[in-house]
């Protein structure tokens, strides 16, 4: 069960400052809990505390940082059901998906504990000419300093973890703003971090309104901004971030190709999951499906049948596959996109109806590529189908997008797989599976409007550290 009231965490300490943030059950609409909202002066205190903690964090021995992360892994396991239930309520995430996210949370902190011990430097021979005789160099990575993190609503635990865990591993204090619609997961991470011996000020976890969070972007005391969320917001933040490096993970309209040589039952099963798990609210959810014309009719028939059979309803029911969208406004927005596509000539294959936050799993075909449901990020339970004849052409069709996060290619043809990897303008190409596939130690991120930089613990730690060179002169050589 959820508590009725949660704190925020300011400089490692729980603070019950107010009850201004109302957290609702996304399925029933009932008030589930309350938490405080941080004001700009609280953010200022948190940044100051992080600056004060920076030296202690940088000097914290590797084994102590590992112990913090390992403690979190142990406590996440002990509180597994509580964490999953919180996701189910605050995000409307079907309970099986919620349990999967808790498993990934554990994985992410485990990987970070391991990577703490892998921050290697290298030696560099410098004597490339006579003037450099007797000189050698070596490098190491040092913490960048206090970091600002902003995480989204759709993976309240694991996307926060992808910022928090590498920061601890790298030795960086941080201030995290979780999504106001889904703050409980991040607050529970804070509750467990508060049990550790992190230096005072090493972390603050502060839900706040977007218009109160300007310091996270603009304050020069913060040395890195890492944001996961919508493209429009992300690029605005980058423009205001000043000199600090910025990492952006901004989503997309992921494409999936099914070639004629692939087992259709397998492709349908994976695409059903990729398009509709957690109501399609994933930045790498399958949105555009291209199927070879030779198998298109059979594939479509199987996919429509499986989609119609998906159970919608209460996310607390283990049989539920389609739960609510995050808000009625988001469900209404996507419902409007579906209706616009149909009005413009698209064929509705199944779904298309909405009741409150519940939008049916929807498939469309004959959708003009300029329609929002195809060209923009749907972020909901809808996918569009189209046949293709020529693999080269479908590569160009996929690239005809302002996004480029991941793509999935179901093919047994080695050369087509290589071509997809060579030519698709995306951050990752998944062969034999959906673009929605991710494990938490791989480099993950996109190009074009899908963002900047890569997450995945080792790559995040590179962003959270700086390379420092030492040159040594031996005058006796």
């Amino acid at each position: 069960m959820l508590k009725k009231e949660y704190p925020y965490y300011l400089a490692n300490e729980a603070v019950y400052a107010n009850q201004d943030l109302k957290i609702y059950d996304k399925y029933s609409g009932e008030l589930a809990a309350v938490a405080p909202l941080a004001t700009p002066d609280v953010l200022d205190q948190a940044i100051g505390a992080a600056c004060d903690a920076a030296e202690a964090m940088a000097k914290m021995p590797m084994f102590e940082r590992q112990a913090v992360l390992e403690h979190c892994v142990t406590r996440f396991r002990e509180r597994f059901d509580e964490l999953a239930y919180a996701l189910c309520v605050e995000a409307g995430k079907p309970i099986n998906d919620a349990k999967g996210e808790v498993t990934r949370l554990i994985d992410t902190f485990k990987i970070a504990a391991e990577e703490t011990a892998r921050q290697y430097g290298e030696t560099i021979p410098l004597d490339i000419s006579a003037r450099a005789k007797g000189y050698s160099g070596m490098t190491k990575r040092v913490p960048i300093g206090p970091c600002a993190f902003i995480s989204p609503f759709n993976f309240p635990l694991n996307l926060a973890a992808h910022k928090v865990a590498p920061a601890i591993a790298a030795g960086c204090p941080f201030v995290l703003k979780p999504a106001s619609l889904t703050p409980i997961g991040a607050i529970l991470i804070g509750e467990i971090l508060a049990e550790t011996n992190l230096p005072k000020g090493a972390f603050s976890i502060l839900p706040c309104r977007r218009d109160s969070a300007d310091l996270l972007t603009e304050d020069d005391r913060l040395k890195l901004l890492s944001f996961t969320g919508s493209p429009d917001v992300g690029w605005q933040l980058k423009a205001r971030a000043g000199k600090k490096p910025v990492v952006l993970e901004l989503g997309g309209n992921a494409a999936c190709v099914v070639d004629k040589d692939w087992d259709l039952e397998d492709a349908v099963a994976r695409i059903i999951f990729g398009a509709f798990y957690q109501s399609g609210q994933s930045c790498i959810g399958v949105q555009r499906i291209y199927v070879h014309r030779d198998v298109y009719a059979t594939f479509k028939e199987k996919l429509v049948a499986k989609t119609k059979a998906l159970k919608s309803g209460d996310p607390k029911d283990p049989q539920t596959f389609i739960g609510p969208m995050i808000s009625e406004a988001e469900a209404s927005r996507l419902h409007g996109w579906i209706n616009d596509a149909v009005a413009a000539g698209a064929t509705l294959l199944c779904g298309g109806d909405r009741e409150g936050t519940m939008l049916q799993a929807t498939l469309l075909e004959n959708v003009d590529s300029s329609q929002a449901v195809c060209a923009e990020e749907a972020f909901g339970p809808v996918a569009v189908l189209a046949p293709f004849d020529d693999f080269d052409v479908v590569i160009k069709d996929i690239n005809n997008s302002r996004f480029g996060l991941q793509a999935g290619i179901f093919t047994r043809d080695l050369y087509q797989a290589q071509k997809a990897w060579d030519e698709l303008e995306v951050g990752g190409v998944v062969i034999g599976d959906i673009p929605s596939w991710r494990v938490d130690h791989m480099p993950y991120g996109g190009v074009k409007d899908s963002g900047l930089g890569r997450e995945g613990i080792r790559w995040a730690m590179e962003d959270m550290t700086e390379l420092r060179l030492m040159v040594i002169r031996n005058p006796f050589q």
Side-chain angles (χ1 to χ4, degrees):
M1 297 296 292
L2 295 181
K3 301 174 187 176
K4 292 303 180 185
E5 185 177 2
Y6 290 86
Y8 58 49
Y9 281 83
L10 174 60
N12 305 35
E13 294 184 2
V15 178
Y16 293 85
N18 54 63
Q19 297 184 345
D20 292 348
L21 180 56
K22 312 301 181 187
I23 303 150
Y24 294 93
D25 183 308
K26 299 305 184 292
Y27 179 70
S28 70
E30 297 175 353
L31 182 66
V34 296
L37 279 172
T39 56
D41 66 300
V42 172
L43 281 178
D44 183 68
Q45 293 176 52
I47 295 167
C51 292
D52 291 342
E55 183 177 355
M57 278 293 288
K59 291 182 176 179
M60 193 173 186
M62 178 185 71
F63 72 90
E64 291 186 6
R65 283 177 277 133
Q66 280 186 317
V68 169
L69 294 161
E70 288 165 352
H71 172 82
C72 292
V73 168
T74 298
R75 296 291 283 134
F76 294 151
R77 286 173 172 154
E78 292 171 353
R79 299 177 67 173
F80 188 99
D81 291 339
E82 176 190 0
L83 290 162
Y85 184 77
L87 283 177
C88 190
V89 172
E90 70 168 345
K93 189 172 297 227
I95 191 63
N96 292 326
D97 291 338
K99 290 178 179 178
E101 183 173 345
V102 179
T103 298
R104 290 185 60 192
L105 167 72
I106 292 167
D107 286 345
T108 299
F109 271 76
K110 280 175 57 182
I111 297 159
E114 295 164 359
E115 289 294 337
T116 304
R118 297 176 184 151
Q119 296 183 73
Y120 305 130
E122 63 179 355
T123 59
I124 307 171
L126 299 177
D127 51 349
I128 60 170
S129 64
R131 73 179 185 86
K133 182 181 179 182
Y135 287 83
S136 62
M138 60 185 71
T139 63
K140 66 177 180 178
R141 302 204 72 89
V142 298
I144 197 170
C147 298
F149 300 147
I150 302 175
S151 60
F153 71 80
N154 59 323
F155 286 88
L157 284 172
N158 198 42
L159 293 184
H162 268 280
K163 303 180 190 304
V164 168
I168 295 169
C172 293
F174 64 87
V175 181
L176 167 68
K177 176 195 175 303
S180 297
L181 289 169
T182 56
I184 295 175
I187 291 170
L188 291 175
I189 292 174
E191 185 176 319
I192 290 168
L193 287 175
E195 300 168 352
T196 71
N197 68 337
L198 284 171
K200 182 173 175 57
F203 75 93
S204 295
I205 297 175
L206 300 172
C208 58
R209 301 196 192 283
R210 187 179 296 173
D211 57 6
S212 298
D214 288 347
L215 284 175
L216 289 180
T217 302
E218 298 172 359
D219 197 308
D220 288 338
R221 291 174 293 174
L222 294 164
K223 303 306 178 185
L224 174 77
L225 170 64
S226 177
F227 170 85
T228 303
S230 73
D232 291 345
V233 174
W235 294 117
Q236 290 173 16
L237 295 181
K238 181 180 181 296
R240 294 165 37 213
K243 297 177 182 177
K244 68 176 67 64
V246 177
V247 178
L248 301 175
E249 199 280 275
L250 305 178
N253 57 354
C256 199
V257 175
V258 181
D259 207 356
K260 61 184 177 181
D261 61 3
W262 199 265
D263 178 81
L264 296 188
E265 295 289 347
D266 177 74
V268 166
R270 295 301 295 149
I271 288 172
I272 284 284
F273 178 81
F276 301 123
Y277 82 109
Q278 66 174 53
S279 301
Q281 294 173 120
S282 167
C283 50
I284 43 175
V286 174
Q287 187 171 332
R288 297 179 290 157
I289 306 168
Y290 299 90
V291 184
H292 196 283
R293 194 176 301 276
D294 288 357
V295 295
Y296 181 79
T298 303
F299 176 90
K300 178 174 72 172
E301 180 182 0
K302 291 177 181 292
L303 187 68
V304 169
K306 293 282 189 182
T307 301
K308 288 180 176 179
L310 294 175
K311 177 178 171 58
S312 300
D314 187 344
K316 301 176 192 69
D317 181 350
Q319 302 303 312
T320 294
F321 193 85
I322 301 285
M325 291 184 64
I326 193 64
S327 68
E328 187 164 355
E330 282 298 294
S332 177
R333 182 264 309 163
L334 185 52
H335 188 229
W337 287 10
I338 293 167
N339 290 338
D340 288 346
V342 172
T347 302
L348 181 67
L349 298 175
C350 63
D353 289 335
R354 178 181 73 88
E355 183 175 348
T357 58
M358 296 295 298
L359 181 64
Q360 289 181 332
T362 301
L363 293 172
L364 299 162
E365 68 176 349
N366 303 319
V367 179
D368 188 277
S369 62
S370 65
Q371 286 293 310
V373 75
C374 187
E376 301 299 325
E377 182 177 38
F379 220 71
V382 61
V384 301
L385 280 75
F388 77 91
D389 298 291
D390 187 310
F391 195 79
D392 289 350
V393 173
V394 85
I395 292 290
K396 290 182 172 62
D397 287 343
I398 293 171
N399 286 341
N400 184 26
S401 169
R402 69 187 183 98
F403 299 110
L405 189 46
Q406 292 199 155
I409 310 292
F410 289 92
T411 184
R412 290 192 172 103
D413 188 322
L414 172 64
Y415 299 105
Q416 288 190 343
Q418 182 74 49
K419 185 179 186 65
W421 190 29
D422 288 343
E423 297 184 10
L424 283 174
E425 297 167 357
V426 295
V429 178
V430 184
I431 304 299
D433 210 346
I434 49 179
S436 326
W437 192 85
R438 180 185 180 187
V439 290
D440 294 290
H441 65 296
M442 74 188 205
Y444 173 78
V447 299
K448 299 191 282 190
D449 271 3
S450 287
L452 289 173
R454 295 293 180 270
E455 291 194 331
I457 301 302
R458 180 157 67 91
W459 288 268
M461 289 172 67
E462 287 186 6
D463 288 324
M464 296 175 191
T465 55
E466 294 176 319
L467 199 65
R468 183 173 294 168
L469 169 71
M470 180 170 70
V471 175
I472 299 173
R473 173 179 173 258
N474 182 351
F476 304 106
Q477 283 191 350

